[in-house]
């Protein structure tokens, strides 16, 4: 029969592993999203240079929203690790 302390240690290890996987997925997803936004914005500016300021401002707002979601996911992962 497995003791309670062994089960608690195993579950703590799995929680840390899950937090690490969650943080890495959040960072990879945010990097991919910001890369797509930057690439598409450059294409748009190349096609229509007179709209560069509008495109740039929309790109910055979208990138900030994506980074906010990524930071939130990393904060949740840290809460799993340390709480």
């Amino acid at each position: 029969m497995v003791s309670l302390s062994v089960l608690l240690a195993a579950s703590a290890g799995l929680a840390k592993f899950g937090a690490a996987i969650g943080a890495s997925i959040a960072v990879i997803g945010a990097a991919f999203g910001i890369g797509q936004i930057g690439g598409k914005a450059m294409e748009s500016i190349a096609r229509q240079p007179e709209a560069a300021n509008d495109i740039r401002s929309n790109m910055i707002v979208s990138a900030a929203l994506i980074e906010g979601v990524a930071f939130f996911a990393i904060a949740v992962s840290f809460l799993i690790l340390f709480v």
Side-chain angles (χ1 to χ4, degrees):
M1 185 165 205
V2 180
S3 69
L4 182 61
S5 62
V6 172
L7 288 175
L8 288 175
S11 67
L14 287 176
K16 289 182 180 182
F17 181 71
I21 295 294
S24 64
I25 289 173
V27 169
I28 290 169
F32 180 74
I34 291 173
Q36 287 289 319
I37 288 172
K40 299 297 181 180
M42 292 301 112
E43 286 180 17
S44 299
I45 291 172
R47 289 177 188 226
Q48 207 169 13
E50 64 273 4
N53 290 333
D54 293 335
I55 294 169
R56 188 178 303 116
S57 62
N58 288 333
M59 179 188 69
I60 291 171
V61 168
S62 299
L65 290 173
I66 289 175
E67 283 187 23
V69 170
F71 287 144
F72 181 72
I74 291 171
V76 169
S77 297
F78 280 145
L79 285 175
I80 291 170
L81 282 177
F82 299 117
V83 174

